[in-house]
Structure formats: structure tokens, C-alpha cells
Amino acid sequence: MTRSHILIGAGCLSVFSLGAGLTLAQQGSSPENGGPVLTFGLSSTLSATDNYNLDPNNSESAELFDNRLSFGYLNQRANDVFRFDVSGLLRANEPPGDSRTFDDQRARLGYDRQGVNSALSFGADYSLASINSLDPFDQNRFFDDPLEENDLAEDQGDRQQISSRFRFEAGLDNPVGFILDGRYREQTYNDTTDPDLFDSELFNLTGTTRFTLSPVTEVRTILRYDDYTADDTEQTNRQTSSFNLGLTQALSPIDTLDVVVGFQSIETEETILGIRDADTQTGVIGSIDLTRELTRGTIGTSFDLRESVNGQTATWLVNRDLPLPRGSIELSLGATSDVDDTVRPVGSLDFTHEMKRSTLTASLSRQVTTSSRSNELRTTEASLGYNYEINSLSEISFSANYAELKQAGGPAVNDTTRTDLRATYSRNLTPDWRLSSGYEYRLRDETGVGDASSNRVFLTLEREFTVRP
């Protein structure tokens, strides 16, 4: 029996069976005065595409009629919040290469409680979906982590994901406080052909003790443990342990310095040529952050030093957050020295501008990361969105999304890019019913595999409403 069954497996299955055929609810429509709220939704989409699987060699067209149902429960009281959502997509006909007519199944449970001098939160998530139906640009991506290899994968079969988390804070108003944070995640693949899509488990636990020495000085001790297990060719088992000391110091009413220095140990066991081999790597890790509050926004700089099984990576950034009259801009620019001592430009940009009848958003991110598989990746993500309100009942929107994965030192990785373009017209038929139609273009390119594109048109009728029991 795996840790997933111990932590949440039985609970997730029972929760999901109670809500089969229902989908994630939108919590934004809940009344602000608290109490239990039920949210129901229905969305039916008729679509046609000329390459459903994004296959470069054997494109298959498809005409689909999908029905997404939703149910959500939210109970917000004075000191705690309980959330429960379930999701599922009923297909009237099976897409090419997929045998699942009940797809994109999700269940989510969360609880947060604020005590007199403490805080507690925990949650559990479950997802089961065919790989061909996954959207790498989903804003509600199951694991909110940096982009990894399997996020841009294209294959047949299913992917099951399970996660659980908890966080407990004590001594919030005391000179000495304690934080315990734990997370578990599991990915399981069925009926796939790509050897890089293998089962994996990741568990991490972090304990932090905080000492407030004065109103302007805080010291922290941080202990962290990660355990990663994969059913890959090497049967990888990796444990990472670290001990860190942190200091937060207010240098002036507007300047804050945060320093973390630590020591990390990585123990890795792999099977190579039939022989089980163990290796241990140690190194110094840490970070320095300096932030200044300005009349408008903040400015700062940071330096981060981390260690992986492939070597050491150092990143330096300059950051600027600036509120605008009709939006905001968050900008960071810098460079990373990867495990091969190659300096690569990195940074990010988030921009929002609201006009009288329209909204423009843009984001760009480039970073060097170590994936859970211990691959060194240079990831690039970009998005552009524009929404225009034609009148009180209708609007038109455009979006463009781009993602790229490339090797940044370490083991070889296939360069992969994915681009999605979308145009949508929407109209409110009644206060509850909404009609949308549009066009979507997808493009995927992977080294050694080739490029593939698809065109899709769709028509969606949806409704959502809330009820107080």
C-alpha cells in the first residue's frame, strides 16, 4: 500500500463517487456574509477539430459533444472556511485514441481555520484525465509548480494525480512561533507509450521555528526533508535534507533585508546496468533579498544559490513592482549561472491595463529550474490576453499562450514548444445562461518527434447558479 492510500486515497475515491458527473464550482459568486452555499453548473460544448491528438504523423479529426457538470460547497464562518468541489466531463462520443467517456474527473477538499494564536489548513485533491485532453495553459493546473517535462507531453492513456497538504502555525503573536508544513503528490500513468511518462511520488516536510528578537529583527531555523520515488528505468529513490538559518532585519522604515544560509544533503539510489548504486552530494545553499518600499510600489534585488544532483545554480535578480492608474506592472530582470557555468538571462513580467470597455494582460517568464526528475530546464512561458466589452450583454476576447522547455546543463532533454491561439465571442442570453463560440489554433514541436498543428471551432452553452440551503 502506497502513501497515497494512507493519506487520502480512500477519502478521495469516496468523495468522488458521491459527486460523479459534477465539476469544479466557482467560489466568487458566494455571498460575503458567510454560511453554506451550493453552486451548480452546466456547460455543453459542440466542437470539431482536424487533429485532436496533435500527432505529427497521423492526424485524426473529431467531432465532439461534451457536457461538463459542476457542484461546489462552501461554508464560510467567522473563524474557518470549508470548501468541497468535484468535477467531471461527460462525452457523448469517444475522441480518437481515447476510450474514456467520463473524462477530466476532479475532486478538491480544503479547510482553513484561524485560531486565537494559531492557524491550521489542510486539503486533498484528486484528478483523472486522458492525456490528450490536458491543457498546459490551464490557470487551475493541478500542481502549481514550475513547468516540467510531462506538462507538454502528448500521448494516449490516462494520468491520475493525487495530492494532500497541511500547514499548522502556532505562536502567531508570540516572540517564538512554529510552522509545520507537509505536502504529498503522486502521478500515475496508464496505457501510455512514452517511456518518459512514468509513475512518481514526492513527499516533503518543512519545520520552521521563528524567534522575534525585536520589532525589527526576526531569526528562523528551517528543517526540510524531501523524498522522491520514481518508477523510471533507473528506479530512482532520492532523499534531500537541508538545515537553514534565516534572518529578517528592517534596516530602515523602508528597507528590509532577508538572509538565509543553509546546508543540503542529497542521497540518490539508482539501478544502472542491473546494479543498485547509491550516491551522496552535499553543498551550501542560501539566498539574500533586499527590498525597499517606495511611494509607488517596491524595488529590490535578490541572489539565490541552490544545489541539485547535477551541480550548483546561482541566480541574481532585480525586481520592481509598480502600481499604475489603471493596472499594475511587476518586472524582474537578471541572470542565472547553470550547472555548466553558462550564464543565461532570466526574469519575468506581469502587466495589467484596464480601459473603459476593455482589459489587456501580458505575462512573460524565463527561469532555470531543476525538475522533480533532476533535469536542468530552461523554461519560458508567455501569455497575452485582450477582452473587449461590446455591450452589456456581449464581449469578445483574444488570447495567446506560449511555453518552451529546453535543456540547461545536466542530462539531455528534448526541446519542446507549445503555442495556443484562441478567439471567443460570448453573449449572455439570460442572467444565468451564456453562449460562447470561437476558434482555437494549437501548435506543438518536439526535437526528434516533429511538429503538429490543429484547428478547432466550438460552440458552448453554459449556466451556473448558487443556492443557500
Side-chain angles (χ1 to χ4, degrees):
M1 180 175 289
T2 64
R3 279 189 294 265
S4 62
H5 298 116
I6 297 174
L7 291 173
I8 62 170
C12 281
L13 291 176
S14 61
V15 163
F16 191 76
S17 64
L18 290 173
L22 303 173
T23 226
L24 290 177
Q26 297 179 1
Q27 307 293 355
S29 59
S30 61
E32 296 181 355
N33 56 351
V37 177
L38 302 178
T39 305
F40 300 88
L42 168 65
S43 175
S44 297
T45 299
L46 182 64
S47 64
T49 177
D50 59 357
N51 190 357
Y52 175 80
N53 297 325
L54 272 182
D55 192 325
N57 302 314
N58 185 26
S59 61
E60 293 189 68
S61 61
E63 294 77 34
L64 302 174
F65 182 56
D66 299 332
N67 296 277
R68 183 178 295 276
L69 304 171
S70 69
F71 170 78
Y73 174 80
L74 171 67
N75 192 356
Q76 184 170 350
R77 298 180 293 190
N79 297 321
D80 62 359
V81 179
F82 176 80
R83 309 175 189 86
F84 168 63
D85 305 293
V86 288
S87 68
L89 182 67
L90 291 172
R91 297 187 182 275
N93 52 327
E94 297 177 1
D98 291 337
S99 59
R100 184 170 295 281
T101 55
F102 184 39
D103 208 348
D104 196 18
Q105 306 170 20
R106 302 185 189 184
R108 177 164 293 177
L109 177 72
Y111 179 76
D112 300 285
R113 180 175 181 83
Q114 189 73 32
V116 176
N117 197 26
S118 63
L120 170 69
S121 66
F122 64 85
D125 304 301
Y126 173 83
S127 171
L128 175 63
S130 57
I131 295 175
N132 282 322
S133 69
L134 299 175
D135 181 5
F137 304 110
D138 185 2
Q139 297 299 317
N140 298 314
R141 198 162 53 190
F142 194 80
F143 294 142
D144 187 20
D145 295 329
L147 200 66
E148 292 201 347
E149 303 91 330
N150 60 341
D151 291 323
L152 300 183
E154 289 293 333
D155 198 359
Q156 298 182 7
D158 300 330
R159 183 183 72 182
Q160 177 180 276
Q161 296 179 313
I162 297 174
S163 75
S164 61
R165 61 199 177 278
F166 74 89
R167 180 181 176 90
F168 176 70
E169 300 181 58
L172 296 177
D173 302 320
N174 295 343
V176 179
F178 180 76
I179 303 173
L180 184 64
D181 191 298
R183 295 177 182 272
Y184 173 82
R185 53 178 286 182
E186 175 190 284
Q187 292 190 116
T188 304
Y189 294 92
N190 297 303
D191 301 324
T192 56
T193 60
D194 189 343
D196 289 332
L197 298 180
F198 48 79
D199 301 349
S200 64
E201 292 181 86
L202 176 63
F203 170 77
N204 62 60
L205 185 65
T206 304
T208 303
T209 304
R210 171 185 53 81
F211 303 91
T212 303
L213 305 182
S214 72
V216 296
T217 305
E218 179 185 279
V219 176
R220 305 180 303 279
T221 62
I222 307 166
L223 291 172
R224 182 180 175 89
Y225 173 77
D226 294 350
D227 186 0
Y228 171 78
T229 303
D231 191 21
D232 55 2
T233 305
E234 296 81 14
Q235 295 294 299
T236 304
N237 190 359
R238 184 176 65 248
Q239 292 88 35
T240 304
S241 306
S242 65
F243 173 74
N244 301 270
L245 292 175
L247 169 67
T248 301
Q249 178 68 45
L251 304 179
S252 71
I254 61 173
D255 296 310
T256 302
L257 175 67
D258 188 89
V259 180
V260 177
V261 179
F263 180 81
Q264 180 176 269
S265 174
I266 305 175
E267 299 181 8
T268 305
E269 292 186 6
E270 294 178 316
T271 301
I272 301 175
L273 299 177
I275 301 175
R276 195 67 175 169
D277 181 63
D279 180 64
T280 301
Q281 294 176 279
T282 59
V284 176
I285 58 175
S287 63
I288 301 175
D289 291 274
L290 180 61
T291 305
R292 166 167 286 193
E293 298 283 344
L294 304 177
T295 304
R296 297 180 60 192
T298 63
I299 189 172
T301 184
S302 64
F303 178 79
D304 181 77
L305 187 68
R306 62 177 175 82
E307 190 86 16
S308 73
V309 294
N310 305 308
Q312 195 173 72
T313 301
T315 300
W316 171 73
L317 290 170
V318 175
N319 311 288
R320 178 71 168 103
D321 294 348
L322 177 65
L324 301 174
R326 293 184 177 181
S328 64
I329 184 170
E330 299 178 9
L331 175 67
S332 68
L333 292 173
T336 293
S337 176
D338 64 20
V339 295
D340 289 341
D341 296 327
T342 300
V343 178
R344 303 178 184 273
V346 295
S348 64
L349 169 69
D350 286 287
F351 173 77
T352 302
H353 181 61
E354 296 183 0
M355 292 161 277
K356 184 177 181 180
R357 300 176 64 178
S358 60
T359 302
L360 175 66
T361 61
S363 66
L364 174 65
S365 172
R366 170 167 287 184
Q367 57 183 323
V368 175
T369 64
T370 303
S371 72
S372 59
R373 304 180 185 181
S374 293
N375 289 325
E376 301 297 324
L377 305 177
R378 189 197 73 182
T379 66
T380 303
E381 297 180 79
S383 67
L384 180 66
Y386 179 73
N387 179 277
Y388 178 75
E389 181 182 335
I390 301 174
N391 51 47
S392 59
L393 297 177
S394 61
E395 64 182 23
I396 188 170
S397 61
F398 303 92
S399 65
N401 295 283
Y402 174 82
E404 178 188 62
L405 285 177
K406 286 193 172 184
Q407 179 184 359
V413 176
N414 284 352
D415 295 346
T416 307
T417 61
R418 173 71 182 266
T419 304
D420 282 22
L421 306 175
R422 188 182 180 103
T424 305
Y425 169 80
S426 302
R427 181 177 180 85
N428 293 328
L429 304 178
T430 70
D432 292 331
W433 289 95
R434 184 178 180 86
L435 181 69
S436 303
S437 64
Y439 166 79
E440 182 182 53
Y441 174 77
R442 299 183 300 161
L443 175 65
R444 183 181 185 274
D445 187 15
E446 181 178 354
T447 302
V449 177
D451 62 88
S453 63
S454 75
N455 300 277
R456 175 177 175 262
V457 292
F458 60 90
L459 178 67
T460 300
L461 181 64
E462 57 186 334
R463 184 190 184 191
E464 184 177 87
F465 60 95
T466 60
V467 176
R468 274 192 174 276

